[in-house]
Amino acid sequence: MASRRHRVKVYVRDEDRKWSEIGIGQVSSRYIGRLHGVCLLVHSESDGLLIMQSKIHPNTCYQKQRGVLILWSEAENDSDGLALSFQDPAGCREIWEYICQVQGKDPSLEITQNVLDTSENNDEMPQSSNLIELPDCELNTLEQIENLFDSVSASPLRQERLALILENEDYVQKLLQLFHTCENQQNTEGLYHLHNIIKAILFLNKSHLLEEDEMFMFEVFAQLKDETTDDDKRLELLLFFKEICAFSQTLQPECKNALFQTLIQLEIISALKIVMSIDDVQIKLTATEILAYLVEYSPSTIQGFVMEEAQEGEGNEVIINVIIKQMICDTDPELGGDVNMMELLRSLLDPENMLTTPNECESSEFLNIFYKHCMHNLIAPLLSATSEGKGKENDPFETEKNKNSPNNYQTAQLLDLILELLTFCVEHHTHYIKNYILSKDLLRRVLMLMSSKHTILVCSVVRFVRKIIGLKDELYNCYIIKENLFETVVNTFLLNGTRYNMLNSAIIDIFEYIRVENIKPLVAHIVEKFYKAFESIEYVQTFKGLKIKYEEEKEKQNKIRENLHSIISSKIFCKCAKIMKVKKEMCLKGNTKELMPPMENELPDHSDEFIENKGTKESEDTADIPETTSSSDFRFSSCHLAAGGSNRMNSPQRSSMHVLVDYPDDDDEEEEEKEDKASPPKRPHLSS
């Protein structure tokens, strides 16, 4: 049994051989005892009632089409046809495999019965060649051929038989020859019939019939590129390829792949690049639509083409710049084509659509090309709209009539699309777009667009800022704080007043995100710079919450400083105590009297002799100065005084020793202590 239900539309064929929808529901399969077999059941989606019940007979011919259709007929005369149109190919594939399992057929085929085999009434069934007779392929029979294709469109069996005849008689090649004849004779009516015939052949969905030859296709592309081809002819050729691409969406994956690979090998991309530069709106639009099909099929193919262009020295003329130029220069007031081109660019710039090779990263190479050769073209309208002198009061250039003004409706729509793409780049291109924004001061220019009278553009600016802040990147945060870029956002918010609208909510969302995520640099910047403007706002608690976050962080930092000061003071005190202890032990071990400088009345009588010899003993006396007068004594005296040392250290002779010093670490003190114990201090040569 099929494992689950799938959503389908149910169609029936009436006596006039026309298909009619009878309902939408869920298809399932179940063994029905009274029918002695497995049945397909469809229950209505609205009320659950049974709208279709069909037993899977062993000899019924089921056919799968386009990956989402299953058709069959429960009558021998090919009437009473039924069809299930599935919402998704996976559901169609599951039911198809189950039908083939019941009939014992190969599910890889798209028809469960060989139409050339005989059935239970084989004596009455004519051969396919006698059932359908194709007229001779000539100019005067084109209308008759077209009518024949129309007559078999409602019968899967007749379509299958017609496909076999077309393949066996090489009919398609003859039709292509007629195409050249009609072109040469400018037979418009014949070309019209051929168009409908070829389209009907494509809808037979047979891969062996889709091989339309390479020489023919090559000639068509040559005409597209030829400068002498008139615009009407070129547009017809483009519309032909557009229909082929649109039809490819109904093909099986292998057929679709073969079709697009053929187009790519025939250099359709370079042909499209040429025609997109032609000054004809319809030609440009059609070429862009064809390119969109190619991007959807294989974005990496277009990216590879761009990289080849850059390697050949055409960096500024890559096809992406052609697309951007067309988007910027679109004259449609609603910019319908621009939306399609923006989506096309987004597909090309999506990292998920970029392939990497073992030797190099194609995504990196492609993005480098884009930011070097294309980004400046993309943001050109933005820079023009925010150039010097824009936005000033009573500026005549800021009127709505000025096409470069953000107050102009069409310009505002274009800038909205550009900002949408830039926001996408911020999310997916990390350092590429970050380097560009910081080096070009781009965020400041974007924020200038908030002066526009069009809310849709202002909201796009807010979304762009929100995406940047959402990254929580330190460089972005520093840039915003240093350049005071929040000022524009705050002013726009205040000008909006208390109106509860989309703009109000979007701006509050920025501040709420900063509060919830506690982005400390931005919290401090907002509170210190703008809190007075927000203080009276009561209808949301966002701004008061920012102040609370700011105060909590400030108190936390104060406690950290206090604890750090306490730790440092305690450490200094302990070091001083250790030093005092060491010096005290040194003093007790030595002759403290000799360590003390003599009083004035105790100087010896031969002081004059000492003074005379002072010059010759200067260096020696300097070397023999005892440690009690060295830098260590300065440290000791300072600490001793701080701790309330003896009065002897407070004498006038010691008053000049109060200096701030950098105390050694504990390890250094222990080494000094060991050295002091090993060798007693030298005595001063005061009596010599």
Side-chain angles (χ1 to χ4, degrees), residues 413-571:
Q413 283 190 309
L414 175 61
L415 293 173
D416 174 52
L417 291 175
I418 293 173
L419 280 177
E420 185 176 345
L421 193 58
L422 289 177
T423 303
F424 177 85
C425 293
V426 167
E427 182 179 4
H428 293 91
H429 294 174
T430 59
H431 65 276
Y432 291 97
I433 186 66
K434 180 167 66 176
N435 292 340
Y436 200 91
I437 289 174
L438 297 179
S439 63
K440 303 294 183 181
D441 196 18
L442 188 59
L443 181 55
R444 180 187 299 280
R445 303 296 287 268
V446 170
L447 286 168
M448 292 175 66
L449 297 176
M450 297 190 83
S451 63
S452 172
K453 70 177 185 179
H454 297 288
T455 304
I456 184 175
L457 177 57
V458 180
C459 288
S460 291
V461 175
V462 176
R463 286 193 295 271
F464 181 72
V465 176
R466 172 66 174 80
K467 185 63 68 174
I468 288 177
I469 292 175
L471 297 177
K472 295 190 280 190
D473 185 279
E474 292 184 5
L475 288 179
Y476 276 135
N477 293 342
C478 290
Y479 169 51
I480 291 171
I481 293 170
K482 181 180 178 182
E483 303 298 329
N484 194 27
L485 299 182
F486 261 125
E487 184 176 17
T488 305
V489 179
V490 173
N491 289 338
T492 303
F493 178 74
L494 296 176
L495 287 173
N496 188 62
T498 58
R499 289 175 292 179
Y500 186 70
N501 53 17
M502 185 167 58
L503 178 59
N504 178 278
S505 299
I507 295 179
I508 289 178
D509 179 66
I510 291 178
F511 294 109
E512 180 66 14
Y513 179 82
I514 294 172
R515 183 194 70 82
V516 172
E517 296 297 321
N518 195 18
I519 307 177
K520 297 176 183 177
L522 296 183
V523 170
H525 175 68
I526 293 168
V527 173
E528 293 173 358
K529 197 80 176 176
F530 307 107
Y531 185 70
K532 288 185 179 179
F534 297 138
E535 196 169 12
S536 61
I537 296 178
E538 300 286 348
Y539 60 90
V540 290
Q541 298 302 308
T542 297
F543 304 107
K544 294 188 183 299
L546 285 170
K547 183 68 177 297
I548 292 172
K549 290 282 187 182
Y550 173 77
E551 296 294 345
E552 288 176 350
E553 182 63 22
K554 189 175 180 181
E555 183 179 356
K556 180 181 177 181
Q557 293 299 326
N558 288 336
K559 288 183 179 180
I560 290 175
R561 282 193 291 269
E562 290 174 1
N563 293 337
L564 182 61
H565 178 73
S566 176
I567 292 171
I568 293 175
S569 299
S570 175
K571 188 172 182 180

Side-chain angles (χ1 to χ4, degrees), residues 4 82 147 172 188 197 260 319 394 399 406 455 548 564 611 617 625 667:
R4 55 182 177 174
L82 290 170
N147 293 334
V172 176
T188 305
I197 293 170
F260 276 108
I319 193 171
N394 299 325
T399 62
T455 304
I548 292 172
L564 182 61
I611 294 173
K617 294 185 177 182
I625 292 177
D667 295 340

Side-chain angles (χ1 to χ4, degrees), residues 590-608:
N591 188 347
T592 56
K593 185 174 182 180
E594 291 182 356
L595 290 174
M596 293 294 293
M599 301 299 290
E600 186 177 353
N601 58 358
E602 294 179 354
L603 287 173
D605 294 336
H606 51 275
S607 59
D608 294 338

Side-chain angles (χ1 to χ4, degrees), residues 12-20 154:
V12 296
R13 188 168 50 232
D14 56 22
E15 295 178 354
D16 296 328
R17 308 188 65 77
K18 294 183 179 180
W19 291 97
S20 302

Side-chain angles (χ1 to χ4, degrees), residues 5 81 127 193 228 235 258 281 422 426 473 488 619 621-622 630 632:
R5 297 189 175 191
Q127 296 296 322
H193 290 308
T228 62
L235 180 59
V281 176
L422 289 177
V426 167
D473 185 279
T488 305
S619 60
D621 290 343
T622 303
S630 67
S632 62

Side-chain angles (χ1 to χ4, degrees), residues 79-180:
S79 61
D80 297 330
L82 290 170
L84 297 179
S85 176
F86 289 77
Q87 187 176 25
D88 61 281
C92 181
R93 183 170 57 252
E94 182 176 331
I95 296 298
W96 176 254
E97 290 174 353
Y98 183 69
I99 292 172
C100 293
Q101 179 184 351
V102 173
Q103 289 193 332
K105 302 296 181 179
D106 183 2
S108 64
L109 300 177
E110 295 185 352
I111 189 167
T112 61
Q113 305 292 333
N114 189 338
V115 295
L116 297 181
D117 288 344
T118 57
S119 62
E120 295 177 351
N121 300 321
N122 53 4
D123 293 335
E124 300 177 2
M125 178 173 286
Q127 296 296 322
S128 60
S129 58
N130 296 326
L131 179 65
I132 299 177
E133 290 187 7
L134 280 169
D136 293 336
C137 194
E138 298 175 353
L139 287 177
N140 59 355
T141 60
L142 286 177
E143 184 176 3
Q144 186 180 354
I145 297 171
E146 180 185 350
N147 293 334
L148 175 62
F149 275 91
D150 288 339
S151 68
V152 302
S153 61
S155 171
L157 288 177
R158 290 167 62 84
Q159 287 181 341
E160 188 73 20
R161 293 162 187 159
L162 179 59
L164 290 174
I165 295 173
L166 289 171
E167 181 182 10
N168 295 334
E169 297 184 6
D170 202 18
Y171 210 79
V172 176
Q173 293 297 326
K174 297 177 182 178
L175 289 171
L176 292 177
Q177 292 174 5
L178 279 182
F179 175 80
H180 290 294

